[in-house]
């Protein structure tokens, strides 16, 4: 993938310099506005350097029809494509920084020294560090990692607004945005069917997921105070059925107050965030699953996908690690502490964002590659105007393809770390 990207970027630069000669000079320099190559120098009617294409907001202010002499249709495609370029680069930078911090912290907490250049490098180091730590547990050790998945939400209103602003065929205020069935959430002023993410501890008439203050019965990923499989348990971990109170990762019936989410048995009032359906219209609806935007151009869809990906609201996972029978108690304690600290943020990417991020990267790549192939023919001002346009978009387009590749790599390595955390080796492990 990287080799293909480099070839396309290099061939585009050669094409630009070749077509523009002898009018253009200094093809290896840097033009105003950040475009490589001094590509507007000496072009009649070029109007100076390239416009600011460094952010989606800046791109939105550019008049491509006037400045580059392209049709209104091509101008709309260019604008959306360049906004997608800026958005995917911003998203990639954030994703990589988050992964670098989480995996880098995990590696260092397990004794690895040094600096890591990227999220991918830090996660590879973390995977090796985890493997080394587990080797100290011994063959008889048992490892179990219990998790409550992260929760990532996309604003339905934001999707509709982006579509209406980008594509003229989408009517503002009436853009139809759909959410995967059962994954729509928001404030429900009437009755909720599905699950209720509660603001605080409250009564749960259904299945409690989180912690339960009293009269709990079910699986408990934290500590159990009461009985574990019928035997007295005073704040100890319980690998079976807990009856009493559960401190974390509870999943069962709760006769006292539940702190977390409640899978409702029937329609009920939800004082927090309802996910599923509401007998009234949701306020500020969000989608925790796959969003289907209104029909729009491929370029606008890539732009909106990238914008939404960068603005997902994510709640980290909850992680509880158990190591039993380790030959090295200190190593086991270190492993437990390191994973419970870092893995929640890694799972946000590996589970909460992976699907959306991968689809966004793929969509943006296809759109940018398509624009690269047609850019020379868009300008109506002749070879020089076409060269100027190609030169101005070369850097942001290359940056977008590099960013898309980085997003895919970060998602993959985050999934690898998730698998490595409980990989079978000297210790047996499972996640749940």
């Amino acid at each position: 993938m990287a080799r293909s990207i480099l070839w396309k970027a290099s061939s585009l630069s050669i094409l630009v310099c070749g077509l523009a000669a002898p009018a253009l000079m200094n093809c290896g320099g840097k033009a105003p506005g950040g475009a490589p190559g001094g590509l507007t120098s000496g072009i009649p009617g070029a109007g100076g350097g390239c416009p600011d294409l460094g952010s989606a907001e800046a791109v939105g202010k550019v008049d491509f029809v006037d400045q580059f002499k392209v049709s209104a249709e091509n101008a709309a495609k260019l604008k959306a494509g360049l906004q997608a370029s800026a958005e995917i680069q911003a998203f990639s930078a954030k994703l990589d920084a988050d992964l670098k911090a989480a995996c880098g912290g995990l590696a260092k907490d397990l004794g690895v020294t040094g600096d890591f250049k990227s999220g991918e490098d830090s996660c590879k180091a973390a995977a090796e560090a985890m493997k080394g730590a587990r080797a100290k547990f011994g063959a008889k050790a048992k490892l179990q990692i219990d998790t409550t998945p992260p929760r990532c939400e996309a604003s339905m209103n934001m999707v509709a607004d982006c579509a209406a602003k980008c594509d003229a065929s989408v009517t503002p205020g009436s853009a139809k945005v759909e959410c995967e069935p059962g994954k729509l959430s928001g404030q429900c002023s009437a009755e909720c069917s599905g699950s209720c993410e509660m603001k605080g501890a409250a009564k749960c008439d259904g299945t409690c997921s989180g912690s339960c203050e009293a009269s709990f019965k079910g699986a408990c990923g934290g500590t159990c105070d009461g009985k574990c499989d019928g035997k007295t348990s005073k704040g100890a971990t319980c690998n079976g059925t807990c009856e009493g109170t559960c401190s974390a990762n509870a999943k069962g019936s709760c006769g006292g107050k539940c702190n977390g989410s409640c899978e409702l048995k029937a329609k009920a009032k939800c004082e927090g965030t309802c996910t599923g359906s509401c007998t009234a219209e949701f306020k500020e609806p969000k989608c925790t699953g796959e969003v289907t935007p209104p029909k729009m151009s491929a370029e606008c869809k890539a732009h909106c996908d990238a914008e939404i990906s960068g603005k997902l609201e994510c709640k980290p996972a909850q992680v509880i690690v158990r190591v039993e029978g380790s030959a090295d108690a200190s190593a086991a304690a270190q492993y437990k502490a390191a994973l419970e600290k870092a893995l929640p943020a890694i799972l946000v990417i590996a589970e909460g964002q992976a699907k959306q991020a991968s689809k966004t990267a793929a969509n943006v790549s296809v759109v940018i590659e398509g624009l690269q192939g047609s850019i020379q023919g868009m300008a109506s001002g002749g070879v020089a105007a076409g060269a100027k346009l190609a030169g101005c978009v070369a850097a942001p387009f290359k940056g977008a393809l590099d960013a898309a590749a980085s997003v895919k790599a970060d998602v993959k390595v985050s999934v690898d770390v998730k698998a490595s955390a409980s990989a079978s080796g000297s210790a047996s492990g499972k996640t749940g």
Side-chain angles (χ1 to χ4, degrees), residues 233-250:
S233 175
K234 295 183 178 180
T237 58
C238 178
N239 293 322
T241 299
C242 173
E243 296 179 67
T245 65
C246 176
S247 66
N249 278 18

Side-chain angles (χ1 to χ4, degrees), residues 223-239:
T223 57
C224 174
D225 196 355
K227 291 184 178 181
C228 178
D229 286 339
K231 297 180 180 180
T232 301
S233 175
K234 295 183 178 180
T237 58
C238 178
N239 293 322

Side-chain angles (χ1 to χ4, degrees), residues 2-330:
R3 185 175 297 172
S4 173
I5 291 171
L6 286 172
W7 182 89
K8 288 175 183 173
S10 299
S11 60
L12 178 61
S13 298
I14 293 169
L15 173 65
V16 170
C17 291
L19 288 172
L24 299 181
M25 303 295 289
N26 188 31
C27 278
K30 186 176 181 181
L39 293 165
T40 61
S41 174
I43 302 176
C50 296
D52 179 6
L53 304 176
S55 69
E57 183 180 4
V59 171
K61 297 177 182 178
V62 179
D63 186 341
F64 289 92
V65 174
D66 178 66
Q67 189 159 351
F68 294 101
K69 311 304 177 189
V70 300
S71 67
E73 180 182 359
N74 284 333
K77 290 182 178 180
L78 272 174
K79 181 168 289 189
L82 286 164
Q83 286 178 320
S85 296
E87 295 284 5
I88 193 71
Q89 289 180 73
F91 173 52
S92 174
K94 181 181 183 302
L95 196 72
D96 197 68
D98 290 346
L99 200 57
K100 182 179 177 182
C103 280
L106 176 56
K108 289 179 180 178
D109 285 346
L110 292 177
V112 178
T113 58
D115 294 323
F116 309 109
K117 294 181 180 180
S118 66
E120 187 174 10
D121 289 342
S122 64
C123 284
K124 287 179 179 179
E128 285 299 312
M130 286 188 290
K131 182 179 179 181
R134 289 195 304 273
K136 299 176 183 178
F137 294 173
K140 296 182 179 180
K142 292 183 179 180
L143 169 65
Q144 182 175 325
I145 302 176
D146 295 315
T147 66
T148 298
R151 180 187 176 95
C152 290
E153 301 175 322
S155 167
M156 302 287 279
N157 292 339
M158 189 183 296
V159 175
D161 290 345
C162 180
K165 289 177 182 177
C166 185
D167 195 318
S169 68
V170 179
T171 305
S174 62
K176 186 178 180 182
V177 182
E178 296 181 348
C179 177
E180 185 179 340
K183 301 292 185 178
L184 188 63
S185 65
Q187 302 301 311
C188 176
S189 60
E191 290 187 315
C192 170
S193 294
S195 65
C196 178
E197 186 79 20
M198 294 173 287
K199 288 182 179 179
K203 178 70 176 176
C204 171
D205 186 15
T207 301
C208 172
S209 295
S211 64
C212 177
E213 296 179 0
S215 302
F216 173 76
K217 184 175 183 179
C220 177
T223 57
C224 174
D225 196 355
K227 291 184 178 181
C228 178
D229 286 339
K231 297 180 180 180
T232 301
S233 175
K234 295 183 178 180
T237 58
C238 178
N239 293 322
T241 299
C242 173
E243 296 179 67
T245 65
C246 176
S247 66
N249 278 18
K251 195 166 186 68
S253 62
C254 179
K257 290 184 177 180
C258 172
N259 196 343
S261 66
C262 178
E263 193 72 30
L264 301 170
K265 285 183 179 179
K267 293 180 181 178
K269 182 71 176 177
C270 175
E271 295 297 337
T273 300
C274 170
T275 299
S277 63
C278 178
T279 52
E281 187 174 343
F282 276 116
K283 182 180 179 182
E284 298 180 1
K286 296 178 182 179
C287 183
T288 59
E290 187 169 356
V291 179
T292 302
K295 188 176 181 180
M296 52 183 156
S297 70
E299 292 81 11
C300 281
K301 187 176 187 309
H303 160 46
C304 292
D305 281 351
E307 179 181 355
I308 300 307
S309 291
K311 295 179 180 178
L312 283 178
E313 297 178 11
C314 293
K315 179 181 178 181
Q318 294 180 18
V319 176
I320 293 179
V321 179
R322 296 192 184 96
V323 182
E324 297 178 356
S326 174
D328 188 330
S330 177

